[in-house]
Amino acid sequence: MSLLLKNCRFVITQDKARKVLEKIDVLVEGNIISKIGKKLAGDEVIDCSRSLVMPGLINTHTHISMTKLRGVADDCVLEEFLEKTYEIDSKLKEKDVYEGALLGCLESIKYGTTCFNDLYYFEDEIAKAAVELGLRANLAWACLDKEMTTQKGDPVNNCEAFVKRWQGKNELVTPEVGIQGVYVTNSETYARAKGLSEKYDVNVHTHLSETRKEVYDCVKQTGKRPVELLDGIGLLSKRVTAAHCVWLTKPEMNILAKCSVNVSHNPTSNLKLSSGGLAPVPELLERGVNVSLGTDSCASNNNLDLCKEMKLAAMLHANAKWDSRLIPAQTALDMATINGAKALGINAGSIEEGKLADILIVNLDKPNLAPINNLISNIVYSMNGNDVDSVIINGKVIMHERKVKNEEKIIQNQTSASLM
Ligand SMILES: [Zn+2]
């Protein structure tokens, strides 16, 4: 069974040359983009003559089940935010995590996200929800010190059991090792988590240098800044995706570059939690660090629309440094697509023959997307997630003309976090 995207008005390929193709067909066979060319034939055909075809967006940092916590801790200081979210978090049962994950996966798909990188516990529930909706998911079970968690048992053992259960089990799910952050992880826990990632050859997903307090506390306790600490224990490598990285010194940026660490930039979450600084994204890019984009959770965002993160990433740094050339629209789009795929080690992020068929179709007959003076600018500065009409993940049409299977049921079944 093949799927033909017929006569695409534009294809933003995100290939090496960043080519944009016009009036061309894209053929999907199985879960792969098998051919791009003229006059192709396929079993199932979608007319794309009024549409743009582009790679799916990749969210490299989220806690998808916390979509349930949307709006529970707004307009308050960080300590109060942490207290409120921790209190609800500690009461969550497996079924709540599953229910929240279904909602988060649904929202992600409707905004054109085709893969997300999660950091949480009860990740089996999240895997179940992602598979049910057909969304690609890299799932990291959070390791932290036993005495600092609400998880039952030893978090590192829980993580290992999760990796064993899901490695090679489903095409959509890639298990990872999660590490909450330096503030709840001692050197023994770090060593064990690192051991797991090496033993099973899986990625590591962690928070890093999100707040100034975290950095100061780390220096007080260990004499080292967080990046130096992690470098010292040999954790940093290309397997690692580190979320936030707001408070970095230049030597720390050099370490991240030297170790090929992937940074997930989460501009909305950083702004909303008002933690002051701004991740030094232009300086990281200058050093060749692979920077991608994340929404963080709905408790601190309060949505999962990566289009908003693209636009903010392009504008925030320009404004802070008085230089609108710093992160051009093309770079912001790279961060949301090809850079995300590189961070997560998935063969996606571009429309090229041989790549996974994770594809968006956007009908361009919309007032906010016309006229087309600069297509990439329209995507980064004018498009929002709701402009995505159809989503293909792993070769399957998951959303067609904005309809996703069971969406009303998923929304209506949500219980409010305040009732838990
Ligand atoms: Zn986070």
Side-chain angles (χ1 to χ4, degrees):
M1 190 64 185
S2 63
L3 170 68
L4 181 67
L5 310 184
K6 185 81 189 151
N7 202 18
C8 307
R9 186 172 166 200
F10 295 104
V11 175
I12 296 181
T13 64
Q14 288 296 88
D15 66 1
K16 264 212 173 80
R18 302 297 187 264
K19 277 197 297 289
V20 175
L21 309 172
E22 286 184 61
K23 296 198 177 70
I24 198 144
D25 302 340
V26 176
L27 182 66
V28 173
E29 287 179 288
N31 64 348
I32 297 291
I33 298 168
S34 60
K35 190 127 193 68
I36 300 170
K38 304 260 183 196
K39 295 188 177 143
L40 305 179
D43 302 323
E44 194 187 325
V45 178
I46 300 179
D47 171 32
C48 294
S49 57
R50 304 300 307 156
S51 300
L52 154 74
V53 163
M54 61 179 280
L57 306 177
I58 297 170
N59 187 351
T60 55
H61 181 63
T62 191
H63 316 277
I64 207 92
S65 291
M66 289 178 80
T67 307
K68 230 182 177 15
L69 274 64
R70 194 189 329 262
V72 298
D74 293 344
D75 314 322
C76 57
V77 296
L78 185 68
E79 287 69 29
E80 201 183 332
F81 171 88
L82 293 173
E83 204 177 296
K84 281 183 175 169
T85 51
Y86 187 83
E87 192 198 324
I88 297 172
D89 229 21
S90 63
K91 285 191 221 156
L92 294 181
K93 304 270 185 310
E94 270 108 325
K95 79 160 193 29
D96 304 314
V97 170
Y98 168 69
E99 215 177 85
L102 272 182
L103 183 65
C105 289
L106 173 63
E107 183 180 346
S108 299
I109 293 165
K110 296 216 76 160
Y111 281 150
T113 293
T114 51
C115 180
F116 69 101
N117 194 32
D118 200 69
L119 178 61
Y120 213 55
Y121 56 95
F122 290 155
E123 285 284 352
D124 297 86
E125 301 301 316
I126 299 166
K128 214 166 78 185
V131 169
E132 213 172 301
L133 283 178
L135 180 57
R136 196 179 299 286
N138 279 37
L139 305 177
W141 190 297
C143 296
L144 64 165
D145 298 341
K146 259 185 283 189
E147 56 278 14
M148 304 301 283
T149 183
T150 53
Q151 288 182 40
K152 287 199 184 80
D154 179 320
V156 183
N157 291 345
N158 294 343
C159 176
E160 178 165 21
F162 170 72
V163 171
K164 274 162 93 176
R165 280 195 294 278
W166 284 91
Q167 196 162 42
K169 186 175 171 189
N170 189 295
E171 279 185 343
L172 294 173
V173 175
T174 305
E176 297 179 337
V177 171
I179 304 173
Q180 179 64 26
V182 292
Y183 40 92
V184 284
T185 313
N186 63 31
S187 53
E188 191 205 332
T189 306
Y190 267 119
R192 293 176 63 209
K194 176 178 177 256
L196 282 189
S197 108
E198 286 163 356
K199 180 174 172 191
Y200 295 96
D201 192 19
V202 293
N203 290 340
V204 173
H205 182 185
T206 187
H207 293 119
L208 183 59
S209 298
E210 179 178 3
T211 66
R212 198 166 53 171
K213 182 177 185 308
E214 166 193 342
V215 175
Y216 285 1
D217 288 350
C218 181
V219 171
K220 218 187 276 171
Q221 281 161 20
T222 68
K224 288 179 178 168
R225 294 177 64 90
V227 174
E228 295 164 350
L229 179 77
L230 300 193
D231 188 34
I233 58 178
L235 183 87
L236 300 178
S237 75
K238 67 174 183 352
R239 286 179 211 268
V240 176
T241 292
H244 303 301
C245 296
V246 175
W247 299 94
L248 302 176
T249 59
K250 283 183 179 156
E252 286 184 295
M253 293 178 214
N254 293 339
I255 293 172
L256 294 178
K258 179 194 79 188
C259 298
S260 305
V261 170
N262 303 284
V263 169
S264 175
H265 178 37
N266 293 224
T268 301
S269 175
N270 297 155
L271 284 173
K272 187 155 183 291
L273 293 177
S274 309
S275 34
L278 180 63
V281 172
E283 292 89 336
L284 289 168
L285 291 172
E286 216 178 87
R287 287 166 171 78
V289 174
N290 182 45
V291 182
S292 55
L293 291 175
T295 55
D296 212 347
S297 82
C298 268
S300 66
N301 188 304
N302 298 357
N303 65 70
L304 302 170
D305 186 355
L306 273 173
C307 290
K308 295 197 174 98
E309 306 303 322
M310 268 198 286
K311 182 169 182 172
L312 261 184
M315 299 189 311
L316 260 181
H317 306 278
N319 179 59
K321 298 270 170 66
W322 299 62
D323 184 353
S324 52
R325 297 164 303 180
L326 278 180
I327 300 192
Q330 180 65 60
T331 305
L333 181 60
D334 292 353
M335 287 161 72
T337 55
I338 194 83
N339 296 9
K342 185 180 174 194
L344 304 188
I346 55 172
N347 182 32
S350 64
I351 307 290
E352 293 178 274
E353 292 175 2
K355 286 284 185 111
L356 287 168
D358 290 2
I359 302 172
L360 309 184
I361 303 174
V362 181
N363 186 323
L364 290 169
D365 291 338
K366 298 193 174 83
N368 59 317
L369 299 178
I372 298 168
N373 297 315
N374 182 330
L375 184 64
I376 305 296
S377 283
N378 279 14
I379 299 310
V380 172
Y381 293 117
S382 315
M383 184 170 100
N384 64 68
N386 287 321
D387 289 323
V388 176
D389 295 286
S390 298
V391 175
I392 296 159
I393 303 173
N394 210 35
K396 289 205 172 71
V397 181
I398 300 301
M399 177 169 85
H400 186 54
E401 291 169 353
R402 294 212 56 73
K403 287 271 169 301
V404 177
K405 190 178 70 178
N406 290 334
E407 65 180 287
E408 287 85 6
K409 204 173 113 199
I410 291 169
I411 296 165
Q412 287 159 12
N413 280 351
Q414 293 296 317
T415 44
S416 157
S418 59
L419 298 176
M420 287 184 301

